Every structure is written in C-alpha cells, then in structure tokens.
Amino acid sequence: MSHSPETGSPGRAVVAMAALGAVGLLVGVLVGSVAFALVGAPLSIPSDAPSGQLLSTLAMYLGVAAVGGLYLLRYDLPLSYVRIGRPTLRDAGATVATVAVLLALAVALPVLIGRLGLPLTDHSVTDSVRRDPTVALVFLPLSVLVVGPAEEFLYRGIIQTRLGSVFDTWSAVAVAAVIFAVVHFIAYLDPANVPGTIVTIFLLLLPLGAILGIVYEYTDNLVVPALAHGVYNAITFGLTYAEAVGGL
C-alpha cells in the first residue's frame, strides 16, 4: 500500500497540488494532441473544425480526469475521497443558484474591469468559434458531460480535498482556486496582451474557482460544482453561438 498523501507540511502540500494541477492540464493537452494526430490528421480533419475540436477536447479532458484517477490509485484512495454522492433536492437548488451567480459575475465583472480601464483576453477556443460558430455547439454537451466533471474532479475533488487536510476549509478553497486559475494561463494567453491574460486569470477565473470551491464544501458533493461548472460553460458557449450568428 502507498503512503497516505495526508502527511507533510502545508508548504509541501501546496507545491504538490500546484504541480498536480499543472501536470493534469499538460497531460490533457498532450493526450488531446496525440489523439488528434492519430485520428484527426489521417482523416484530414481540420483542427479548428467542429469534429476536430470534439476529438481533441474530449481526449484532453479524459486525460485530465485520468491524472486524477492515477493520483487516487497512487495513494490507494477510494472514489469516496472526492465526495461524490447522489444529488438531493438541496443539491439541485445549490446547482441552480451557483449557475445563476456565475452568470451574474460573468456579466458584472467584465463591465467593472472595463470601467477600471483594464484589458481582458478570451479563451483560445474563441478564435475557432469566430471562424465557425458551430464549434460552440460542440461544447454544449462536452461542457456538461466532460469538461466540468473532469476539471472539478481534479481541482476540487482531489486538490481542494488534499489541501483541506493541512489548511482550514476557507484557506483550502482559496489556494485551490488560485491553482485552478493559474494553470489556465496558457488557455487564455494572448502574447500581444499579457496584462489582459493576467487580469482575466485573477479577476475572472479566480472568483469562479472560489465559488465552485465554496459550493463543494457547502454541499459536500462533487456532483454539484461539476454540474454547475459544466452548465455555466455550456450557457456561455450557447450565448457565444447566438452572438456569432446574429441572434443577440
């Protein structure tokens, strides 16, 4: 049996979980790239086409989830470690409330940031959506079924839970939210607008991660932040699609 991860100093736990978060994303990107090279390229599927995005994104987030699964296996931890339970009516209400709060912040924060005269950047997939709006439709089911669950499994279920063994609850939520935000730097990186990338990471993604972390602790059920995260992403992609085709 492997040694339990519930040992060591808070500093070591932060470093280990930051590394796990970064490795999870990097492995995901690698798996997505390899999957596209093995399947998409031979079939002459454009990487920014809906089918290409579906293939690479599905593979990427399965890779992210696999890193979390390997962590559980490495330390001989049961799936209950990440606190997955059957959703209750209370959980359903918490999910709806969380999505509403995230959407409200998605509207209010960019306005506030704009009034402060600060720049922002978009997610890297936004360029593909602008070229072909149907790409956004691919992310509707992917967000709910794959992206939200995979990211919450790793960043809240494993990383936040591990940090909670060496910090108080609120500190664990805060540190996990910072890790979640920072590892997304590459996804939002605009080399011509690095300040905008930094603002986006810390003023948009950090609050999102913190809210999901708070909801996770409040409900003690990973299903709630996973579903809320996925539905929120799906709604934003739906709105992006509507705007791209002139529906908004």
Side-chain angles (χ1 to χ4, degrees), residues 168-180:
D168 64 83
T169 298
W170 300 116
S171 296
V173 168
V175 176
V178 170
I179 293 173
F180 172 77

Side-chain angles (χ1 to χ4, degrees), residues 25 28 56-66 123 146-147 150-151 184:
L25 189 62
S56 58
T57 302
L58 178 60
M60 175 181 174
Y61 285 97
L62 289 178
V64 170
H123 194 282
V146 181
V147 179
E151 289 200 329
H184 282 78

Side-chain angles (χ1 to χ4, degrees), residues 52 59-60 100 105 121 136 145 164 216:
M60 175 181 174
L105 287 179
T121 57
L145 300 175
Y216 179 42

Side-chain angles (χ1 to χ4, degrees), residues 27-220:
V27 168
V29 170
L30 178 61
V31 171
S33 299
V34 170
F36 184 82
L38 294 177
V39 179
L43 296 177
S44 299
I45 299 174
S47 61
D48 58 353
S51 54
Q53 289 288 323
L54 173 63
L55 173 61
S56 58
T57 302
L58 178 60
M60 175 181 174
Y61 285 97
L62 289 178
V64 170
V67 169
L70 288 174
Y71 180 88
L72 295 181
L73 290 174
R74 166 68 176 82
Y75 291 103
D76 197 24
L77 297 169
L79 189 59
S80 59
Y81 180 80
V82 299
R83 294 175 276 169
I84 297 177
R86 184 189 300 273
T88 63
L89 287 176
R90 174 175 173 267
D91 292 335
T95 301
V96 172
T98 302
V99 172
V101 170
L102 293 178
L103 290 173
L105 287 179
V107 173
L109 287 178
V111 172
L112 176 60
I113 292 169
R115 288 181 177 177
L116 293 174
L118 299 175
L120 289 170
T121 57
D122 293 320
H123 194 282
S124 56
V125 84
T126 302
D127 289 335
S128 296
V129 173
R130 287 173 180 153
R131 287 189 291 270
D132 183 355
T134 57
V135 168
L137 299 180
V138 170
F139 282 89
L140 298 182
L142 277 179
S143 295
V144 177
L145 300 175
V146 181
V147 179
E151 289 200 329
E152 293 307 302
F153 173 58
L154 181 61
Y155 294 100
R156 246 62 63 181
I158 292 177
I159 292 176
Q160 185 170 306
T161 297
R162 171 67 179 98
L163 292 170
S165 69
V166 293
F167 290 107
D168 64 83
T169 298
W170 300 116
S171 296
V173 168
V175 176
V178 170
I179 293 173
F180 172 77
V182 172
V183 299
H184 282 78
F185 185 85
I186 298 299
Y188 286 86
L189 177 61
D190 180 353
N193 184 18
V194 174
T197 302
I198 295 173
V199 170
T200 301
I201 292 300
F202 287 102
L203 295 188
L204 290 183
L205 289 187
L206 183 56
L208 183 148
I211 289 170
L212 292 170
I214 291 170
V215 170
Y216 179 42
E217 297 299 336
Y218 173 73
T219 61
D220 206 36

